[in-house]
Amino acid sequence: MRLLIRDAMLLTLDPRNRLIGDGHVLVDGERIVLVGEGPPPPGIIADRVLDGRQRLVLPGLVNSHLHSHENFNRGRLDNLPHNVWMLYARPPLLGATPGPEEVYLRTMLGCLEMLRGGVTLAIDDIVHVPPTNLISFDAVVRAYHDAGMRAVVTTTTVDRPYHLTLPWADAVFPPGLQREFEARPRSSIHELIAFARRCAARCGSGRVRFALSPSAPQRCSRELLEALRDVQRETALPLIVHVLETRLQVVTGRLFYGRSMVAHLEALGLLGPRTALVHGVWVDDDDIRRIAAAGATVFHNPSSNLKLGSGVAPARALLRAGVPVGLGTDGMGSNDCQNLFEEMRLAALVSKITSPAYDEWLTADEALGMATRGSLGAVGLAAELGAIEVGRLADLVLLDLGSVAFTPRHDVVRQLVYAERGAGVRTVLVGGRIVVEDGVVTTVDEPKLLAEINATAERVRAASEPGWRRSRELEPYFAEIYRRANREPVAVTGRSLW
């Protein structure tokens, strides 16, 4: 199918960073074949023409980090630090095993929100129960295919007992509780690696792809990390790992490894151009140097890091060092929405309270770059997406320039970042296919789907209550670890707002 967008304002984000006031884009199949200024050349034949008057066209937004398994937790949690919050987001004891329809519906809920907000690519880091549940994995992939989104999906991989991922466990947890954690079933390294290979083979290199995901260094044995490193070297798959999200994790790295978690990953050979470090709130100057030297990427999640009291990632220092930075929402349990416009705005705003040097504050252009292309290199899509340019995949968003967000119009990029909230998204294309039209997702029956989601979510909430009750019993132990970590001296400064 050939599709022509004409008479539109184009924010190309190409190497020349052109803003074309009156332009056209021709899409043939999945790819852009023509970009120009003024009316399209005579003789162009298109199966469909989109009227671009009063429309701003930009590359699709990229949600570089989310956890779709949290999508039914919207609005359930507040005022908890990360390690305490984790007790409820993923109850470590008495956790329920979701069926494939629940997994499909919760994934689809995120797809609806993201598509309507102009997100065309999601990098989804998923905890499956049990961790080698191929039926659950297939349900996630099916949801992204049915929604028409582009996605990179993972299977979160851990092999250490839950309590041993935290310092002082032997002193804080009663012996009986320690034995209970030890007794929880865990997959072997061989099973985890075999499962990852099966998932990668099922995805291939199409619209939904696969990435390796050692959850975090403290949750993985050295042997598991080395095994995943070897798979990555063999396959060139992306590798996504949570690193230094909290102050507690700075202390954990020091106590577990005698060095930073970034230095630990570097020593094991896990840093590289296809590695993404999620959060990176508490990286220090030496960490940044190591990340930059390896060519790795950082996924910045400002909303989640604020809500959990984790702090603010040093985005300016990372960018100055040459580290690519992508933007993510994180999961709905720690954010409550998956709105990349909100993340762009926050990323730019929070940088302004981390330093009095106002010439170092993030600009609107930089925030937009993080939301459109910052994460693409890590997942092998830098040459395919992120710009309106001939040869690239046609993942495009058309926004209403007649909305209040652009009235009066002074600077399109600044108003896109600071004033637009996603309400102005009118049309979304993924690979040349229209998946949102007039603000409505076209690939599914949205009212029917939302009714199914609401009914399922009620059942899930009821089924989660035993696990949450048990987590409430555990909370004092995890709160004590949080308090101990806050009493430990930490050299990194400027990462917290308190």
Side-chain angles (χ1 to χ4, degrees):
M1 175 178 173
R2 286 168 64 87
L3 182 148
L4 175 66
I5 304 169
R6 60 175 299 157
D7 306 320
M9 179 178 287
L10 308 180
L11 185 57
T12 62
L13 301 186
D14 64 7
R16 289 182 285 168
N17 202 28
R18 291 179 297 166
L19 178 63
I20 300 175
D22 178 15
H24 56 272
V25 180
L26 180 64
V27 177
D28 191 347
E30 291 190 326
R31 296 190 179 269
I32 298 168
V33 295
L34 181 66
V35 179
E37 189 168 1
I44 284 183
I45 298 174
D47 300 291
R48 176 140 186 213
V49 178
L50 296 183
D51 183 354
R53 287 174 297 178
Q54 283 290 82
R55 294 288 185 263
L56 174 66
V57 186
L58 66 150
L61 302 181
V62 179
N63 188 348
S64 69
H65 184 63
L66 67 140
H67 298 290
S68 64
H69 55 268
E70 294 179 17
N71 282 359
F72 286 168
N73 282 347
R74 193 198 305 267
R76 295 194 72 183
L77 295 163
D78 197 11
N79 287 355
L80 293 172
H82 177 267
N83 71 304
V84 179
W85 167 86
M86 282 276 288
L87 281 171
Y88 302 97
R90 298 162 214 171
L93 300 173
L94 301 179
T97 300
E101 194 60 20
E102 175 190 332
V103 173
Y104 177 85
L105 289 172
R106 75 189 187 195
T107 308
M108 191 63 82
L109 174 61
C111 292
L112 292 176
E113 183 172 4
M114 287 188 284
L115 284 174
R116 292 179 68 170
V119 173
T120 55
L121 167 63
I123 303 175
D124 190 354
D125 194 16
I126 309 153
V127 173
H128 296 282
V129 182
T132 56
N133 188 337
L134 197 59
I135 295 174
S136 172
F137 179 82
D138 286 345
V140 171
V141 172
R142 179 164 55 94
Y144 281 112
H145 274 301
D146 289 354
M149 276 193 75
R150 200 175 303 280
V152 176
V153 296
T154 80
T155 59
T156 298
T157 308
V158 301
D159 70 334
R160 300 195 73 209
Y162 193 92
H163 67 301
L164 295 184
T165 66
L166 297 165
W168 308 297
D170 55 344
V172 173
F173 292 132
L177 182 56
Q178 294 184 47
R179 289 192 293 271
E180 191 173 359
F181 277 120
E182 289 281 2
R184 295 289 291 174
R186 299 190 302 276
S187 299
S188 69
I189 294 174
H190 173 76
E191 290 170 328
L192 293 169
I193 296 299
F195 180 63
R197 289 184 181 278
R198 283 198 296 273
C199 293
R202 293 169 95 84
C203 287
S205 58
R207 186 158 45 82
V208 181
R209 303 185 181 194
F210 181 74
L212 302 167
S213 178
S215 175
Q218 71 273 17
R219 299 180 194 129
C220 301
S221 67
R222 179 188 183 105
E223 292 76 16
L224 176 57
L225 290 173
E226 290 175 338
L228 288 166
R229 175 203 63 199
D230 293 344
V231 173
Q232 188 193 38
R233 288 176 177 176
E234 174 194 334
T235 62
L237 287 167
L239 186 142
I240 297 167
V241 55
H242 292 66
V243 176
L244 294 175
E245 181 175 358
T246 65
R247 190 179 191 278
L248 170 59
Q249 290 169 17
V250 178
V251 177
T252 302
R254 188 166 65 207
L255 294 176
F256 282 18
Y257 314 117
R259 58 191 174 190
S260 160
M261 289 188 183
V262 173
H264 180 62
L265 290 173
E266 181 189 53
L268 296 181
L270 271 80
L271 292 186
R274 298 297 290 273
T275 300
L277 308 182
V278 185
H279 298 292
V281 173
W282 289 85
V283 292
D284 61 20
D285 291 343
D286 185 60
D287 294 327
I288 294 172
R289 179 188 61 76
R290 294 172 189 273
I291 295 166
T297 297
V298 171
F299 292 166
H300 181 23
N301 301 266
S303 290
S304 173
N305 295 151
L306 289 173
K307 186 172 183 185
L308 298 180
S310 300
V312 178
R316 167 56 67 215
L318 290 162
L319 291 173
R320 190 191 306 118
V323 176
V325 179
L327 276 184
T329 61
D330 212 351
M332 283 197 198
S334 63
N335 185 334
D336 303 291
C337 69
Q338 292 177 348
N339 187 324
L340 255 291
F341 288 96
E342 182 68 21
E343 300 307 322
M344 281 194 285
R345 175 180 166 86
L346 271 178
L349 290 179
V350 296
S351 77
K352 304 178 197 321
I353 59 170
T354 58
S355 169
Y358 60 86
D359 57 335
E360 294 201 347
W361 296 347
L362 291 185
T363 67
D365 288 278
E366 288 172 319
L368 177 61
M370 291 179 187
T372 51
R373 58 176 179 261
S375 58
L376 294 177
V379 294
L381 290 168
E384 301 274 48
L385 301 170
I388 302 177
E389 190 175 25
V390 171
R392 295 194 185 237
L393 291 165
D395 289 14
L396 303 172
V397 179
L398 282 70
L399 288 117
D400 182 6
L401 282 173
S403 70
V404 293
F406 295 99
T407 306
R409 193 186 310 162
H410 295 295
D411 186 290
V412 169
V413 173
R414 290 176 188 165
Q415 288 171 249
L416 180 70
V417 170
Y418 291 119
E420 178 62 68
R421 287 293 175 276
V425 173
R426 307 313 304 154
T427 306
V428 178
L429 281 71
V430 176
R433 178 190 181 192
I434 296 175
V435 293
V436 175
E437 189 164 19
D438 294 327
V440 177
V441 177
T442 62
T443 52
V444 297
D445 183 339
E446 188 170 343
K448 178 183 177 183
L449 190 61
L450 289 175
E452 292 174 0
I453 288 170
N454 277 317
T456 301
E458 281 300 309
R459 293 194 295 271
V460 171
R461 182 187 178 100
S464 71
E465 280 306 313
W468 281 47
R469 282 196 299 270
R470 189 65 201 281
S471 290
R472 282 190 284 272
E473 297 172 3
L474 302 178
E475 185 174 326
Y477 306 117
F478 286 76
E480 173 59 21
I481 287 175
Y482 172 74
R483 287 189 291 268
R484 288 192 181 204
N486 286 336
R487 292 194 293 266
E488 289 284 314
V490 170
V492 180
T493 58
R495 302 291 183 263
S496 175
L497 302 183
W498 36 262

mmCIF file of all heavy atoms in Angstrom, residues 61 113-119 303 337-346 349 397 399-400 403-406 413-425:
data_model
loop_
_atom_site.group_PDB
_atom_site.id
_atom_site.type_symbol
_atom_site.label_atom_id
_atom_site.label_comp_id
_atom_site.label_asym_id
_atom_site.label_seq_id
_atom_site.Cartn_x
_atom_site.Cartn_y
_atom_site.Cartn_z
ATOM 1 N N LEU A 61 7.141 7.818 18.971
ATOM 2 C CA LEU A 61 7.822 7.845 20.260
ATOM 3 C C LEU A 61 8.198 6.428 20.675
ATOM 4 O O LEU A 61 7.544 5.451 20.280
ATOM 5 C CB LEU A 61 6.931 8.480 21.322
ATOM 6 C CG LEU A 61 6.443 9.906 21.041
ATOM 7 C CD1 LEU A 61 5.596 10.416 22.204
ATOM 8 C CD2 LEU A 61 7.602 10.846 20.759
ATOM 9 N N GLU A 113 -3.014 2.451 25.594
ATOM 10 C CA GLU A 113 -2.584 3.738 26.122
ATOM 11 C C GLU A 113 -1.396 4.286 25.342
ATOM 12 O O GLU A 113 -1.351 5.481 25.014
ATOM 13 C CB GLU A 113 -2.229 3.618 27.605
ATOM 14 C CG GLU A 113 -1.834 4.931 28.224
ATOM 15 C CD GLU A 113 -1.656 4.868 29.717
ATOM 16 O OE1 GLU A 113 -1.757 3.768 30.302
ATOM 17 O OE2 GLU A 113 -1.402 5.931 30.318
ATOM 18 N N MET A 114 -0.452 3.438 25.053
ATOM 19 C CA MET A 114 0.742 3.911 24.353
ATOM 20 C C MET A 114 0.425 4.361 22.928
ATOM 21 O O MET A 114 0.889 5.419 22.486
ATOM 22 C CB MET A 114 1.829 2.834 24.378
ATOM 23 C CG MET A 114 2.474 2.671 25.742
ATOM 24 S SD MET A 114 3.914 1.573 25.749
ATOM 25 C CE MET A 114 3.125 -0.041 25.665
ATOM 26 N N LEU A 115 -0.349 3.565 22.202
ATOM 27 C CA LEU A 115 -0.670 3.956 20.830
ATOM 28 C C LEU A 115 -1.405 5.283 20.788
ATOM 29 O O LEU A 115 -1.097 6.153 19.969
ATOM 30 C CB LEU A 115 -1.512 2.861 20.163
ATOM 31 C CG LEU A 115 -0.761 1.604 19.719
ATOM 32 C CD1 LEU A 115 -1.734 0.551 19.226
ATOM 33 C CD2 LEU A 115 0.264 1.935 18.628
ATOM 34 N N ARG A 116 -2.347 5.473 21.676
ATOM 35 C CA ARG A 116 -3.098 6.729 21.690
ATOM 36 C C ARG A 116 -2.215 7.895 22.108
ATOM 37 O O ARG A 116 -2.550 9.049 21.851
ATOM 38 C CB ARG A 116 -4.306 6.601 22.616
ATOM 39 C CG ARG A 116 -5.346 5.638 22.075
ATOM 40 C CD ARG A 116 -6.525 5.473 22.982
ATOM 41 N NE ARG A 116 -7.324 6.698 23.051
ATOM 42 C CZ ARG A 116 -8.520 6.754 23.624
ATOM 43 N NH1 ARG A 116 -9.036 5.676 24.181
ATOM 44 N NH2 ARG A 116 -9.185 7.889 23.656
ATOM 45 N N GLY A 117 -1.087 7.590 22.743
ATOM 46 C CA GLY A 117 -0.132 8.616 23.120
ATOM 47 C C GLY A 117 1.047 8.715 22.180
ATOM 48 O O GLY A 117 2.068 9.331 22.530
ATOM 49 N N GLY A 118 0.950 8.130 20.991
ATOM 50 C CA GLY A 118 1.986 8.299 19.990
ATOM 51 C C GLY A 118 3.194 7.395 20.135
ATOM 52 O O GLY A 118 4.199 7.589 19.454
ATOM 53 N N VAL A 119 3.124 6.392 21.011
ATOM 54 C CA VAL A 119 4.233 5.443 21.172
ATOM 55 C C VAL A 119 4.077 4.335 20.135
ATOM 56 O O VAL A 119 3.056 3.649 20.099
ATOM 57 C CB VAL A 119 4.263 4.849 22.592
ATOM 58 C CG1 VAL A 119 5.308 3.746 22.685
ATOM 59 C CG2 VAL A 119 4.540 5.931 23.622
ATOM 60 N N SER A 303 9.529 9.689 35.927
ATOM 61 C CA SER A 303 8.311 9.596 36.740
ATOM 62 C C SER A 303 8.434 8.520 37.797
ATOM 63 O O SER A 303 8.137 8.731 38.980
ATOM 64 C CB SER A 303 7.096 9.303 35.852
ATOM 65 O OG SER A 303 6.773 10.404 35.048
ATOM 66 N N CYS A 337 0.884 5.422 34.606
ATOM 67 C CA CYS A 337 0.521 5.684 33.214
ATOM 68 C C CYS A 337 1.731 5.400 32.334
ATOM 69 O O CYS A 337 2.846 5.225 32.822
ATOM 70 C CB CYS A 337 0.024 7.109 33.011
ATOM 71 S SG CYS A 337 1.283 8.382 33.180
ATOM 72 N N GLN A 338 1.485 5.338 31.039
ATOM 73 C CA GLN A 338 2.553 5.087 30.075
ATOM 74 C C GLN A 338 2.512 6.182 29.014
ATOM 75 O O GLN A 338 2.245 5.948 27.847
ATOM 76 C CB GLN A 338 2.411 3.678 29.476
ATOM 77 C CG GLN A 338 2.680 2.620 30.531
ATOM 78 C CD GLN A 338 2.502 1.198 30.063
ATOM 79 O OE1 GLN A 338 1.959 0.934 28.993
ATOM 80 N NE2 GLN A 338 2.961 0.259 30.874
ATOM 81 N N ASN A 339 2.791 7.404 29.486
ATOM 82 C CA ASN A 339 2.665 8.605 28.668
ATOM 83 C C ASN A 339 4.050 9.195 28.433
ATOM 84 O O ASN A 339 4.659 9.762 29.343
ATOM 85 C CB ASN A 339 1.751 9.609 29.384
ATOM 86 C CG ASN A 339 1.432 10.821 28.527
ATOM 87 O OD1 ASN A 339 2.267 11.302 27.773
ATOM 88 N ND2 ASN A 339 0.220 11.328 28.656
ATOM 89 N N LEU A 340 4.569 9.058 27.225
ATOM 90 C CA LEU A 340 5.906 9.562 26.917
ATOM 91 C C LEU A 340 5.962 11.083 26.867
ATOM 92 O O LEU A 340 7.029 11.673 27.091
ATOM 93 C CB LEU A 340 6.400 8.964 25.597
ATOM 94 C CG LEU A 340 7.449 7.864 25.719
ATOM 95 C CD1 LEU A 340 8.780 8.407 26.218
ATOM 96 C CD2 LEU A 340 6.973 6.750 26.637
ATOM 97 N N PHE A 341 4.843 11.737 26.602
ATOM 98 C CA PHE A 341 4.841 13.194 26.663
ATOM 99 C C PHE A 341 5.133 13.658 28.088
ATOM 100 O O PHE A 341 5.871 14.628 28.298
ATOM 101 C CB PHE A 341 3.502 13.751 26.175
ATOM 102 C CG PHE A 341 3.314 13.629 24.687
ATOM 103 C CD1 PHE A 341 2.612 12.561 24.159
ATOM 104 C CD2 PHE A 341 3.849 14.570 23.820
ATOM 105 C CE1 PHE A 341 2.432 12.439 22.785
ATOM 106 C CE2 PHE A 341 3.688 14.451 22.452
ATOM 107 C CZ PHE A 341 2.983 13.382 21.923
ATOM 108 N N GLU A 342 4.565 12.979 29.062
ATOM 109 C CA GLU A 342 4.836 13.316 30.457
ATOM 110 C C GLU A 342 6.304 13.079 30.792
ATOM 111 O O GLU A 342 6.920 13.873 31.518
ATOM 112 C CB GLU A 342 3.943 12.482 31.374
ATOM 113 C CG GLU A 342 4.103 12.776 32.859
ATOM 114 C CD GLU A 342 3.608 14.157 33.256
ATOM 115 O OE1 GLU A 342 2.801 14.740 32.502
ATOM 116 O OE2 GLU A 342 4.042 14.653 34.313
ATOM 117 N N GLU A 343 6.884 12.004 30.280
ATOM 118 C CA GLU A 343 8.302 11.722 30.563
ATOM 119 C C GLU A 343 9.210 12.764 29.922
ATOM 120 O O GLU A 343 10.214 13.169 30.514
ATOM 121 C CB GLU A 343 8.670 10.320 30.075
ATOM 122 C CG GLU A 343 7.877 9.186 30.704
ATOM 123 C CD GLU A 343 7.891 9.196 32.220
ATOM 124 O OE1 GLU A 343 8.936 9.523 32.817
ATOM 125 O OE2 GLU A 343 6.839 8.891 32.805
ATOM 126 N N MET A 344 8.877 13.198 28.704
ATOM 127 C CA MET A 344 9.676 14.254 28.077
ATOM 128 C C MET A 344 9.654 15.516 28.930
ATOM 129 O O MET A 344 10.694 16.136 29.193
ATOM 130 C CB MET A 344 9.132 14.579 26.676
ATOM 131 C CG MET A 344 9.544 13.604 25.608
ATOM 132 S SD MET A 344 9.206 14.257 23.950
ATOM 133 C CE MET A 344 7.429 14.089 23.839
ATOM 134 N N ARG A 345 8.487 15.920 29.333
ATOM 135 C CA ARG A 345 8.335 17.133 30.140
ATOM 136 C C ARG A 345 9.118 17.005 31.446
ATOM 137 O O ARG A 345 9.873 17.904 31.830
ATOM 138 C CB ARG A 345 6.851 17.376 30.410
ATOM 139 C CG ARG A 345 6.556 18.537 31.340
ATOM 140 C CD ARG A 345 5.046 18.671 31.527
ATOM 141 N NE ARG A 345 4.716 19.542 32.635
ATOM 142 C CZ ARG A 345 4.614 20.870 32.563
ATOM 143 N NH1 ARG A 345 4.849 21.480 31.415
ATOM 144 N NH2 ARG A 345 4.306 21.583 33.620
ATOM 145 N N LEU A 346 8.948 15.871 32.134
ATOM 146 C CA LEU A 346 9.633 15.684 33.414
ATOM 147 C C LEU A 346 11.142 15.624 33.247
ATOM 148 O O LEU A 346 11.886 16.177 34.069
ATOM 149 C CB LEU A 346 9.132 14.414 34.093
ATOM 150 C CG LEU A 346 7.917 14.560 34.993
ATOM 151 C CD1 LEU A 346 7.516 13.201 35.544
ATOM 152 C CD2 LEU A 346 8.167 15.541 36.121
ATOM 153 N N LEU A 349 12.286 19.079 32.964
ATOM 154 C CA LEU A 349 12.053 19.887 34.161
ATOM 155 C C LEU A 349 12.957 19.494 35.327
ATOM 156 O O LEU A 349 13.524 20.363 35.997
ATOM 157 C CB LEU A 349 10.591 19.787 34.584
ATOM 158 C CG LEU A 349 9.568 20.473 33.672
ATOM 159 C CD1 LEU A 349 8.160 20.271 34.212
ATOM 160 C CD2 LEU A 349 9.861 21.968 33.537
ATOM 161 N N VAL A 397 3.770 9.821 13.741
ATOM 162 C CA VAL A 397 2.691 10.349 14.566
ATOM 163 C C VAL A 397 2.261 11.692 13.991
ATOM 164 O O VAL A 397 3.100 12.538 13.686
ATOM 165 C CB VAL A 397 3.141 10.537 16.032
ATOM 166 C CG1 VAL A 397 2.005 11.105 16.873
ATOM 167 C CG2 VAL A 397 3.629 9.223 16.617
ATOM 168 N N LEU A 399 0.033 14.988 14.918
ATOM 169 C CA LEU A 399 -0.612 15.720 16.005
ATOM 170 C C LEU A 399 -1.374 16.917 15.475
ATOM 171 O O LEU A 399 -1.026 17.503 14.439
ATOM 172 C CB LEU A 399 0.439 16.207 17.009
ATOM 173 C CG LEU A 399 1.067 15.134 17.882
ATOM 174 C CD1 LEU A 399 2.543 15.036 17.615
ATOM 175 C CD2 LEU A 399 0.815 15.436 19.344
ATOM 176 N N ASP A 400 -2.383 17.326 16.226
ATOM 177 C CA ASP A 400 -3.242 18.440 15.862
ATOM 178 C C ASP A 400 -2.560 19.758 16.233
ATOM 179 O O ASP A 400 -2.407 20.080 17.417
ATOM 180 C CB ASP A 400 -4.578 18.308 16.588
ATOM 181 C CG ASP A 400 -5.558 19.404 16.241
ATOM 182 O OD1 ASP A 400 -5.249 20.209 15.341
ATOM 183 O OD2 ASP A 400 -6.629 19.458 16.880
ATOM 184 N N SER A 403 -4.665 22.543 18.266
ATOM 185 C CA SER A 403 -5.063 22.346 19.669
ATOM 186 C C SER A 403 -4.537 23.475 20.539
ATOM 187 O O SER A 403 -3.686 24.271 20.129
ATOM 188 C CB SER A 403 -4.525 21.009 20.177
ATOM 189 O OG SER A 403 -3.113 21.061 20.305
ATOM 190 N N VAL A 404 -5.025 23.521 21.786
ATOM 191 C CA VAL A 404 -4.600 24.578 22.707
ATOM 192 C C VAL A 404 -3.108 24.474 23.019
ATOM 193 O O VAL A 404 -2.464 25.480 23.338
ATOM 194 C CB VAL A 404 -5.421 24.535 24.014
ATOM 195 C CG1 VAL A 404 -6.867 24.898 23.746
ATOM 196 C CG2 VAL A 404 -5.319 23.175 24.696
ATOM 197 N N ALA A 405 -2.540 23.259 22.941
ATOM 198 C CA ALA A 405 -1.119 23.086 23.249
ATOM 199 C C ALA A 405 -0.230 23.888 22.306
ATOM 200 O O ALA A 405 0.882 24.278 22.681
ATOM 201 C CB ALA A 405 -0.743 21.605 23.190
ATOM 202 N N PHE A 406 -0.699 24.142 21.090
ATOM 203 C CA PHE A 406 0.094 24.874 20.109
ATOM 204 C C PHE A 406 -0.488 26.269 19.821
ATOM 205 O O PHE A 406 -0.206 26.857 18.780
ATOM 206 C CB PHE A 406 0.211 24.067 18.819
ATOM 207 C CG PHE A 406 0.980 22.785 18.987
ATOM 208 C CD1 PHE A 406 0.326 21.574 19.158
ATOM 209 C CD2 PHE A 406 2.365 22.795 19.009
ATOM 210 C CE1 PHE A 406 1.037 20.390 19.330
ATOM 211 C CE2 PHE A 406 3.085 21.618 19.178
ATOM 212 C CZ PHE A 406 2.414 20.414 19.339
ATOM 213 N N VAL A 413 8.800 22.604 19.003
ATOM 214 C CA VAL A 413 9.416 21.576 19.839
ATOM 215 C C VAL A 413 9.174 21.869 21.312
ATOM 216 O O VAL A 413 8.825 20.968 22.086
ATOM 217 C CB VAL A 413 10.922 21.458 19.538
ATOM 218 C CG1 VAL A 413 11.590 20.509 20.526
ATOM 219 C CG2 VAL A 413 11.133 20.978 18.116
ATOM 220 N N ARG A 414 9.354 23.105 21.724
ATOM 221 C CA ARG A 414 9.128 23.424 23.134
ATOM 222 C C ARG A 414 7.684 23.168 23.532
ATOM 223 O O ARG A 414 7.406 22.646 24.617
ATOM 224 C CB ARG A 414 9.494 24.883 23.401
ATOM 225 C CG ARG A 414 10.987 25.155 23.335
ATOM 226 C CD ARG A 414 11.281 26.624 23.503
ATOM 227 N NE ARG A 414 12.691 26.907 23.264
ATOM 228 C CZ ARG A 414 13.182 28.114 23.053
ATOM 229 N NH1 ARG A 414 12.370 29.169 23.042
ATOM 230 N NH2 ARG A 414 14.475 28.281 22.848
ATOM 231 N N GLN A 415 6.755 23.521 22.666
ATOM 232 C CA GLN A 415 5.355 23.302 23.001
ATOM 233 C C GLN A 415 4.993 21.823 22.940
ATOM 234 O O GLN A 415 4.149 21.351 23.705
ATOM 235 C CB GLN A 415 4.471 24.158 22.096
ATOM 236 C CG GLN A 415 4.576 25.637 22.468
ATOM 237 C CD GLN A 415 3.906 26.579 21.493
ATOM 238 O OE1 GLN A 415 4.582 27.328 20.801
ATOM 239 N NE2 GLN A 415 2.586 26.549 21.430
ATOM 240 N N LEU A 416 5.639 21.090 22.067
ATOM 241 C CA LEU A 416 5.447 19.641 22.022
ATOM 242 C C LEU A 416 5.875 19.003 23.343
ATOM 243 O O LEU A 416 5.187 18.124 23.872
ATOM 244 C CB LEU A 416 6.266 19.055 20.871
ATOM 245 C CG LEU A 416 6.218 17.551 20.652
ATOM 246 C CD1 LEU A 416 4.855 17.133 20.137
ATOM 247 C CD2 LEU A 416 7.306 17.118 19.670
ATOM 248 N N VAL A 417 7.000 19.452 23.895
ATOM 249 C CA VAL A 417 7.547 18.858 25.115
ATOM 250 C C VAL A 417 6.860 19.380 26.369
ATOM 251 O O VAL A 417 6.538 18.613 27.279
ATOM 252 C CB VAL A 417 9.065 19.109 25.186
ATOM 253 C CG1 VAL A 417 9.628 18.713 26.553
ATOM 254 C CG2 VAL A 417 9.779 18.350 24.078
ATOM 255 N N TYR A 418 6.601 20.676 26.435
ATOM 256 C CA TYR A 418 6.105 21.271 27.674
ATOM 257 C C TYR A 418 4.590 21.429 27.740
ATOM 258 O O TYR A 418 4.030 21.521 28.837
ATOM 259 C CB TYR A 418 6.745 22.647 27.896
ATOM 260 C CG TYR A 418 8.212 22.593 28.225
ATOM 261 C CD1 TYR A 418 9.151 23.208 27.397
ATOM 262 C CD2 TYR A 418 8.680 21.944 29.363
ATOM 263 C CE1 TYR A 418 10.499 23.179 27.692
ATOM 264 C CE2 TYR A 418 10.029 21.900 29.658
ATOM 265 C CZ TYR A 418 10.942 22.521 28.827
ATOM 266 O OH TYR A 418 12.272 22.483 29.126
ATOM 267 N N ALA A 419 3.915 21.471 26.588
ATOM 268 C CA ALA A 419 2.476 21.753 26.594
ATOM 269 C C ALA A 419 1.607 20.581 26.139
ATOM 270 O O ALA A 419 0.503 20.400 26.647
ATOM 271 C CB ALA A 419 2.190 22.974 25.720
ATOM 272 N N GLU A 420 2.094 19.800 25.194
ATOM 273 C CA GLU A 420 1.316 18.660 24.680
ATOM 274 C C GLU A 420 1.325 17.522 25.692
ATOM 275 O O GLU A 420 2.336 17.250 26.328
ATOM 276 C CB GLU A 420 1.894 18.196 23.344
ATOM 277 C CG GLU A 420 1.206 16.987 22.733
ATOM 278 C CD GLU A 420 -0.250 17.236 22.417
ATOM 279 O OE1 GLU A 420 -0.536 18.040 21.522
ATOM 280 O OE2 GLU A 420 -1.094 16.597 23.076
ATOM 281 N N ARG A 421 0.183 16.858 25.848
ATOM 282 C CA ARG A 421 0.088 15.720 26.771
ATOM 283 C C ARG A 421 -0.310 14.432 26.063
ATOM 284 O O ARG A 421 -0.563 13.415 26.709
ATOM 285 C CB ARG A 421 -0.946 16.002 27.869
ATOM 286 C CG ARG A 421 -0.494 17.014 28.893
ATOM 287 C CD ARG A 421 0.667 16.440 29.723
ATOM 288 N NE ARG A 421 1.192 17.442 30.619
ATOM 289 C CZ ARG A 421 2.103 18.358 30.287
ATOM 290 N NH1 ARG A 421 2.583 18.379 29.054
ATOM 291 N NH2 ARG A 421 2.542 19.227 31.159
ATOM 292 N N GLY A 422 -0.406 14.485 24.750
ATOM 293 C CA GLY A 422 -0.828 13.319 23.990
ATOM 294 C C GLY A 422 -2.256 13.422 23.509
ATOM 295 O O GLY A 422 -2.679 12.636 22.651
ATOM 296 N N ALA A 423 -3.023 14.398 24.052
ATOM 297 C CA ALA A 423 -4.415 14.552 23.621
ATOM 298 C C ALA A 423 -4.510 14.974 22.169
ATOM 299 O O ALA A 423 -5.526 14.743 21.508
ATOM 300 C CB ALA A 423 -5.119 15.580 24.506
ATOM 301 N N GLY A 424 -3.427 15.582 21.658
ATOM 302 C CA GLY A 424 -3.451 16.036 20.274
ATOM 303 C C GLY A 424 -3.067 14.982 19.249
ATOM 304 O O GLY A 424 -3.049 15.269 18.048
ATOM 305 N N VAL A 425 -2.757 13.773 19.686
ATOM 306 C CA VAL A 425 -2.409 12.708 18.741
ATOM 307 C C VAL A 425 -3.654 12.322 17.950
ATOM 308 O O VAL A 425 -4.654 11.882 18.515
ATOM 309 C CB VAL A 425 -1.838 11.482 19.471
ATOM 310 C CG1 VAL A 425 -1.649 10.305 18.501
ATOM 311 C CG2 VAL A 425 -0.513 11.820 20.147
#
